[in-house]
Amino acid sequence: MHNQTFYLEKLVRDNVAKLKPYSSARDEFKDFHEDMVFLDANENPYNTGVNRYPDPQQVTLKQHLSSVKRVPVDQILLGNGSDEVLDLLFRAFCEPNVDNVVTLPPTYGMYAVLAATNAIANREVLLSKDFQPDVNSILDQVDHQTKMIFLCSPNNPTANSFEAASITYLLENFKGLVVVDEAYIDFSAAESWSTQLHNYPNLVIIQTLSKAYGLAGIRLGICYASAEIIGVLNKIKPPYNVNELTQKRALERILNYESVASEINSILKQRDALSKVLLEVNYVNKVYPSEANFILARVDDANKRYNQLLEKGIVVRNRSSQALCENTLRFTVGTTEENEKLIAVLKELA
Ligand SMILES: *Cc1c(COP(=O)(O)O)cnc(C)c1O
């Protein structure tokens, strides 16, 4: 399994390779001028602000993302949240009831749900005790029908980043797609894998505006990959998958990066303060280091503590049902006031 040549055409499903994409009115006519009369898309002509279909390729938004993230426009695909982007990957590359993927629990639950939805076997390889990928066990699970390996880094719910050497090893020794989910990258000291796209034709990176950018409500997920992979996903994406309101709000936020950066800064300070104080709570047995905007902590009895917090009006996530996460709670870092309330309540319960 060393230095395998990567053939994208071997990964794409036959039906996807053969299909001719839907061509929308806006795809066929793009040469937009103010004084033109658009009678091609059966839109209502009266202006509501959103009576026209949105740009199916989100060109303006991608151009700005491209300059911020330093990834060429033709290596970017946008979706209705990362969830849509992940689903597109399954539908483009995984043949139902034939292919399989590898995921590494404890991790983000959507990979398993999307695998099941698309009738794709999910081969689970547990992370090590220190929540790192076990590359040899992963490659042992891989066969000719393995199309993707999902690496969530920083990982949800464990909050740590995966060692770069492990990710590189998988990129070099697996001939399918290595999908690195970077939903929490803006909270991490680690560099985004987007700088490595030119080195690895099988690297796919997922990001989102739902966390650091504070826009979970608009649903905007991002995929960075080779222009060839992006081309395949573009063939099957719904033509108007990112609506006009979302494109506008996303662009405003990206152009106002200073406020995003200052919020990230505050969240990081709060996270580190919260981690320290959690250690002072007598029924907290372990606080895991975090490179995300949440903290995983092991307590004496997670169900009991979860319910006690709930009675006080504080909702956290009980992750105890996840592999390697017995008696853990996941705390999202809130505002200063919210965190103070959390700490006060936690100490009062002691
Ligand atoms: C929150 C989260 C996402 C974001 O999903 P969206 O659909 O973009 O809101 C993606 N991956 C992980 C691991 C997450 O925790």
Side-chain angles (χ1 to χ4, degrees):
M1 289 286 302
H2 282 278
N3 297 317
Q4 306 247 1
T5 318
F6 175 74
Y7 296 107
L8 183 63
E9 47 300 2
K10 285 194 183 168
L11 290 182
V12 182
R13 289 170 66 197
D14 281 345
N15 62 315
V16 172
K18 285 187 196 126
L19 79 79
K20 190 172 170 298
Y22 175 73
S23 182
S24 70
R26 277 304 150 266
D27 283 323
E28 284 175 17
F29 196 86
K30 295 184 182 126
D31 194 13
F32 207 90
H33 299 286
E34 284 297 315
D35 60 348
M36 285 185 135
V37 176
F38 281 98
L39 303 176
D40 59 345
N42 298 346
E43 296 150 334
N44 180 326
Y46 298 105
N47 187 13
T48 61
V50 284
N51 56 311
R52 298 295 177 183
Y53 278 102
D55 174 2
Q57 278 301 323
Q58 310 102 18
V59 175
T60 310
L61 179 53
K62 280 185 193 165
Q63 282 166 344
H64 283 89
L65 263 180
S66 170
S67 58
V68 176
K69 304 281 184 173
R70 295 165 200 259
V71 175
V73 166
D74 66 353
Q75 292 186 249
I76 304 175
L77 176 118
L78 303 179
N80 183 20
S82 322
D83 295 339
E84 182 184 42
V85 176
L86 292 163
D87 190 50
L88 286 173
L89 286 167
F90 275 96
R91 291 198 285 133
F93 297 107
C94 299
E95 193 62 32
N97 301 309
V98 175
D99 290 334
N100 67 75
V101 297
V102 174
T103 65
L104 315 180
T107 194
Y108 186 46
M110 278 306 287
Y111 314 136
V113 171
L114 289 169
T117 308
N118 288 286
I120 304 303
N122 175 21
R123 299 187 173 177
E124 298 190 325
V125 180
L126 286 193
L127 293 175
S128 65
K129 286 269 181 305
D130 54 351
F131 300 141
Q132 288 294 327
D134 175 349
V135 290
N136 294 320
S137 305
I138 292 168
L139 292 179
D140 280 348
Q141 286 300 312
V142 163
D143 61 22
H144 289 298
Q145 301 319 135
T146 308
K147 296 301 186 72
M148 303 191 275
I149 300 175
F150 288 91
L151 305 175
C152 185
S153 183
N155 187 37
N156 177 6
T158 60
N160 64 306
S161 291
F162 294 162
E163 279 160 17
S166 305
I167 298 181
T168 304
Y169 190 82
L170 292 171
L171 283 163
E172 289 178 353
N173 292 282
F174 172 57
K175 64 183 159 116
L177 302 180
V178 175
V179 181
V180 183
D181 186 341
E182 295 187 335
Y184 299 98
I185 190 68
D186 301 282
F187 302 108
S188 168
E191 190 180 54
S192 168
W193 282 84
S194 59
T195 59
Q196 298 301 313
L197 281 167
H198 61 287
N199 288 328
Y200 302 109
N202 56 340
L203 172 60
V204 175
I205 296 152
I206 308 288
Q207 292 184 356
T208 178
L209 298 194
S210 294
K211 307 285 157 62
Y213 282 75
L215 295 177
I218 70 169
R219 314 304 302 128
L220 193 92
I222 308 165
C223 178
Y224 306 109
S226 71
E228 292 70 28
I229 293 174
I230 296 298
V232 172
L233 299 177
N234 265 321
K235 283 180 80 172
I236 64 166
K237 86 170 183 66
Y240 303 114
N241 63 328
V242 180
N243 74 67
E244 182 71 22
L245 302 172
T246 294
Q247 292 188 41
K248 284 217 173 90
R249 283 298 290 272
L251 186 58
E252 280 168 25
R253 191 73 168 147
I254 287 162
L255 292 175
N256 186 13
Y257 185 74
E258 278 139 56
S259 66
V260 178
S262 97
E263 288 170 19
I264 293 172
N265 234 320
S266 311
I267 291 168
L268 293 184
K269 280 195 193 125
Q270 285 290 308
R271 175 189 76 193
D272 296 342
L274 189 57
S275 295
K276 285 204 187 96
V277 189
L278 277 171
L279 281 171
E280 295 166 10
V281 177
N282 66 5
Y283 52 85
V284 172
N285 298 330
K286 187 169 171 69
V287 177
Y288 290 91
S290 172
E291 295 197 50
N293 65 335
F294 58 85
I295 299 166
L296 188 74
R298 196 177 294 274
V299 298
D300 57 346
D301 181 344
N303 291 334
K304 173 175 151 192
R305 302 305 177 185
Y306 174 86
N307 287 322
Q308 286 177 326
L309 285 169
L310 204 53
E311 275 167 29
K312 301 283 181 182
I314 298 178
V315 189
V316 300
R317 202 86 201 268
N318 186 350
R319 294 286 72 190
S320 297
S321 61
Q322 304 266 300
L324 311 176
C325 292
E326 310 79 55
N327 282 321
T328 59
L329 298 176
R330 192 190 69 191
F331 301 91
T332 305
V333 179
T335 61
T336 315
E337 296 72 36
E338 290 171 332
N339 301 333
E340 277 167 3
K341 178 167 182 201
L342 170 68
I343 289 296
V345 169
L346 283 170
K347 289 193 165 170
E348 177 188 315
L349 296 179

